[in-house]
Amino acid sequence: MRLSFNDTKARTFIFYGESRTIITLNYFVFLADQGYKENMSWRKVWIMTAQVDFAFTGLQQASDLRFFQGALSFRIHVKEPLGFHNFLKEIKPYWEPRDGYLKEFWEQAFACTLPALGDPEKDDASCTGEECLDSLPGHVFEMSMTGHSYSIYNAVYATAHALHAMHSSMSKYREILWSKRFEFHHLHPWQQGWPISVCNDFCRPGSWKKRKEGEKFCCYDCVPCPEGKISGQKDMVDCIKCPEDQHSSKDKDGCISKVITFLSFEEPLGTGLAILAVSCFLITAFVLGIFIKNKDTPIVKANNQDLTYALLISLLLCFLCSLLFLGKPSTVTCFIRQSAFGIVFSVAVSCVLAKTITVVLAFMATQPGSGLRKWVGKRLSNSIVLSCSLVQAGICMVWLSTTPPFPDLDIHSMTNEIVAECNEGSVVMFYIVLGYLGLLSLISLIVAFFARKLPNSFNEAKFITFSMLIFCSVWMSFVPTYLSTKGKYMVAVEIFSILASSAALLAWIFSIKCYIILLRPDLNSRDQMIRRKKSLKDEPVPVPHEWYQSGDLLIGGIASQVMYTLHTLPFDKHPSDDLFNDTV
């Protein structure tokens, strides 16, 4: 640092600082080279604040104040107390052995060392203890009362008088207040004797003072603290914000720690969803058992057994994976629950899509000269399920390998609670999984919708249409509901969507089949399947009874009857010889 005081154009310096600033400035002047001192103009006018005190340390006793000749300072009001000068003369370093400041000041001011009390060893550098403060230069120690000392003197006496008044008041009314069991140890001295506004009473804790426009400064309104802020004392000028892990009390006069919450199995909502998931799982297992037990019956064989079993098993897993969303989130459950949900649901929707496409292709292949016959069979349906599921599995693998979900605490969404949740890691990947699932569902819905007008023998497409319509409606309403919900109820929305969409597939596709197998076994026979039904457009041609086996042409259909018209299929051989060998 080098000060350009030798600038001949500058005659006046406005200086702001305190005592330590003067000490530092004097060091720089003292250490400056002789040429710098000789060239600098000493006739400067200094204008200083009242906080500046021309005090030097003991090491600066050789310095002088000629550098500041002509300085102007705003003087602080000083009134020297009676006997103050004599008090300073009588001060000795051993008055208070525990006063380390006095010992340190004495050694620095007189450039000596104070030996310990009772220590006989003394040398020339030792202090005698009889030194007098009035022998020190004025810039090291002033014997008169300075402005700073007088301010401290007044502050100490003001505090003493306030404490005296407080304890006097407490003693006077001790008996009355004791009967009211008033506790004084929570009362601070500065809470006594506050002036009351001429317009209104004190603002109670939980509110803050808001000045009334156009009225006196002491007139104000008491405004309640907003949510998340408190005021713990009277007449607060502003409310204090609670820490992030705390919330304001009901009266806004204190902060309370937030409670960590999550959708648990014990609370009513979690218990209800868990019971619903387990019930749907057991019903699906029961349906699967029925189909396995009756695997040789026409209605089971006609529904492409592999797709049926795959669909039922995927629905079982759908109901089970909803339980992963209940309970306190952990590293394992957060890591697998969304991916498991996405992959399992993709398998289920792929099975429905494969069923629908197989039915449509089967009818299109019956047209004369159609080249679609080679595509009808198990290989097509298996390829659809496998390819659609692998795409979703690939998306989930990318998600888990880049930004996997992890347990997290949400302290912002709820006012009074900290929500233990699974942070999805990447919201974009989460919606990509949902988007791909929605795409498969929409394709299945469109294909089933166009296949709904097929003959009644193949009207499973109608039930698939209804099931996929409900499925798509559930997940289309899921997105806005999920985004508008906070806390643990977001998890409840997702669980309900999983259960509702899975239950729709189970009910619409398998309920009538189970009804026929259990309650109308007479319809589950080969004779019933080949029963003719009059067509609305063409008169059907009777088909030889011996040409048909159980399940022929009933691809994913409900057991009814089989019919062909003259212009669609010639009957010179068994229809299943070249078209449907791989379907049933």
Side-chain angles (χ1 to χ4, degrees):
M1 175 179 178
R2 185 173 180 84
L3 303 176
S4 58
F5 293 119
N6 57 349
D7 187 352
T8 58
K9 296 181 180 179
R11 295 295 182 183
T12 304
F13 291 95
I14 300 176
F15 186 80
Y16 179 83
E18 53 184 0
S19 300
R20 292 184 178 273
T21 312
I22 289 291
I23 295 173
T24 304
L25 178 61
N26 187 64
Y27 267 120
F28 285 117
V29 175
F30 179 76
L31 297 175
D33 57 79
Q34 189 64 28
Y36 178 68
K37 292 181 179 179
E38 291 177 355
N39 294 331
M40 67 195 314
S41 175
W42 296 93
R43 298 184 180 276
K44 306 289 183 181
V45 177
W46 292 81
I47 300 177
M48 302 181 177
T49 57
Q51 287 81 8
V52 173
D53 190 4
F54 293 101
F56 292 163
T57 63
L59 298 176
Q60 295 176 310
Q61 293 187 23
S63 304
D64 55 44
L65 296 173
R66 288 185 301 162
F67 186 78
F68 301 103
Q69 290 292 340
L72 302 177
S73 176
F74 296 95
R75 179 177 175 84
I76 302 177
H77 172 70
V78 176
K79 182 179 180 182
E80 186 166 321
L82 184 64
F84 180 71
H85 189 79
N86 295 330
F87 169 76
L88 293 179
K89 287 184 177 181
E90 296 175 0
I91 289 179
K92 298 302 176 184
Y94 296 113
W95 273 13
E96 180 55 58
R98 294 174 296 179
D99 190 353
Y101 169 75
L102 185 58
K103 177 178 179 296
E104 182 179 350
F105 165 75
W106 203 272
E107 291 179 343
Q108 186 180 15
F110 293 101
C112 59
T113 305
L114 277 172
L117 289 175
D119 187 358
E121 297 184 5
K122 297 183 178 179
D123 52 24
D124 295 339
S126 299
C127 299
T128 63
E130 300 299 327
E131 294 84 2
C132 295
L133 294 176
D134 56 357
S135 63
L136 295 173
H139 60 271
V140 176
F141 185 82
E142 295 187 15
M143 294 295 292
S144 61
M145 177 70 74
T146 63
H148 290 80
S149 300
Y150 189 66
S151 299
I152 296 173
Y153 171 83
N154 287 333
V156 172
Y157 265 84
T159 304
H161 282 295
L163 291 173
H164 177 74
M166 183 189 72
H167 288 286
S168 299
S169 177
M170 290 172 59
S171 301
K172 182 178 180 181
Y173 297 104
R174 187 183 303 276
E175 184 176 351
I176 299 174
L177 296 175
W178 176 258
S179 63
K180 297 181 180 179
R181 305 184 65 83
F182 188 87
E183 298 183 359
F184 271 98
H185 58 275
H186 292 305
L187 204 59
H188 300 285
W190 55 83
Q191 293 176 304
Q192 300 292 318
W194 284 14
I196 300 177
S197 169
V198 297
C199 298
N200 48 276
D201 202 350
F202 294 117
C203 287
R204 297 180 177 275
S207 60
W208 61 285
K209 297 191 301 183
K210 182 179 180 181
R211 183 179 175 181
K212 293 182 178 179
E213 295 294 336
E215 298 190 19
K216 297 180 179 180
F217 72 93
C218 55
C219 298
Y220 48 82
D221 292 320
C222 295
V223 181
C225 291
E227 193 64 39
K229 291 187 176 182
I230 63 153
S231 62
Q233 299 177 2
K234 294 180 180 178
D235 278 352
M236 293 285 288
V237 296
D238 196 5
C239 297
I240 303 172
K241 187 177 181 180
C242 289
E244 291 185 342
D245 59 344
Q246 297 180 0
H247 66 93
S248 55
S249 61
K250 182 180 180 181
D251 297 328
K252 304 295 190 299
D253 57 356
C255 294
I256 305 174
S257 297
K258 293 182 179 180
V259 180
I260 298 178
T261 61
F262 51 89
L263 188 59
S264 63
F265 289 92
E266 289 78 15
E267 61 182 291
L269 180 58
T271 303
L273 291 173
I275 293 175
L276 183 60
V278 173
S279 301
C280 292
F281 172 82
L282 295 177
I283 294 173
T284 308
F286 177 70
V287 174
L288 179 60
I290 292 176
F291 273 71
I292 293 175
K293 183 179 179 181
N294 298 272
K295 62 181 179 179
D296 295 326
T297 60
I299 193 171
V300 176
K301 294 178 66 177
N303 279 275
N304 197 326
Q305 288 176 312
D306 293 339
L307 284 181
T308 300
Y309 294 155
L311 177 57
L312 287 172
I313 293 173
S314 62
L315 289 177
L316 281 174
L317 297 177
C318 287
F319 292 124
L320 282 182
C321 77
S322 64
L323 298 176
L324 294 174
F325 292 82
L326 291 172
K328 187 175 183 179
S330 64
T331 304
V332 177
T333 56
C334 289
F335 187 80
I336 67 173
R337 70 180 191 180
Q338 294 291 5
S339 298
F341 148 71
I343 295 174
V344 171
F345 256 76
S346 296
V347 174
V349 178
S350 299
C351 291
V352 176
L353 178 61
K355 275 177 168 287
T356 311
I357 292 178
T358 303
V359 171
V360 174
L361 289 179
F363 275 93
M364 295 175 64
T366 59
Q367 300 296 328
S370 174
L372 297 176
R373 296 187 179 187
K374 60 182 180 180
W375 295 102
V376 179
K378 293 182 179 180
R379 286 181 297 178
L380 175 64
S381 58
N382 293 339
S383 300
I384 294 174
V385 175
L386 187 61
S387 59
C388 294
S389 303
L390 286 178
V391 172
Q392 185 73 293
I395 295 174
C396 293
M397 288 296 293
V398 173
W399 183 9
L400 297 180
S401 60
T402 54
T403 54
F406 58 91
D408 195 11
L409 294 177
D410 181 9
I411 61 178
H412 301 291
S413 61
M414 303 296 289
T415 304
N416 302 333
E417 298 174 351
I418 297 177
V419 181
E421 63 177 8
C422 287
N423 190 313
E424 305 304 345
S426 174
V427 179
V428 174
M429 295 302 298
F430 172 67
Y431 284 106
I432 287 177
V433 170
L434 286 183
Y436 179 74
L437 187 60
L439 178 63
L440 289 180
S441 306
L442 186 61
I443 294 174
S444 299
L445 175 62
I446 294 173
V447 175
F449 178 78
F450 285 111
R452 74 190 188 283
K453 293 185 178 181
L454 295 176
N456 289 338
S457 298
F458 302 90
N459 64 354
E460 190 182 26
K462 296 181 180 180
F463 295 96
I464 293 177
T465 302
F466 282 116
S467 64
M468 294 312 301
L469 183 61
I470 298 175
F471 188 95
C472 293
S473 300
V474 169
W475 288 105
M476 287 180 65
S477 60
F478 163 78
V479 175
T481 307
Y482 184 81
L483 294 176
S484 61
T485 311
K486 295 181 180 180
K488 61 185 178 181
Y489 299 104
M490 296 177 66
V491 180
V493 168
E494 188 166 0
I495 294 176
F496 178 80
S497 300
I498 293 174
L499 296 179
S501 55
S502 303
L505 294 178
L506 178 67
W508 282 99
I509 296 178
F510 294 99
S511 58
I512 296 183
K513 298 180 180 63
C514 292
Y515 169 77
I516 293 175
I517 294 174
L518 296 176
L519 302 179
R520 295 294 305 273
D522 56 302
L523 298 178
N524 191 14
S525 62
R526 186 179 64 178
D527 293 338
Q528 182 64 27
M529 288 185 178
I530 64 174
R531 184 171 57 88
R532 295 186 306 147
K533 180 181 180 182
K534 290 190 176 182
S535 173
L536 295 176
K537 295 183 179 180
D538 304 288
E539 185 69 23
V541 176
V543 180
H545 184 277
E546 62 274 7
W547 279 16
Y548 286 89
Q549 301 175 4
S550 299
D552 276 357
L553 298 181
L554 295 180
I555 306 169
I558 298 174
S560 178
Q561 61 269 338
V562 180
M563 59 182 179
Y564 284 95
T565 57
L566 270 175
H567 62 82
T568 57
L569 187 66
F571 298 113
D572 54 352
K573 60 179 178 178
H574 189 284
S576 62
D577 289 344
D578 59 355
L579 181 58
F580 298 109
N581 285 330
D582 295 331
T583 303
V584 180

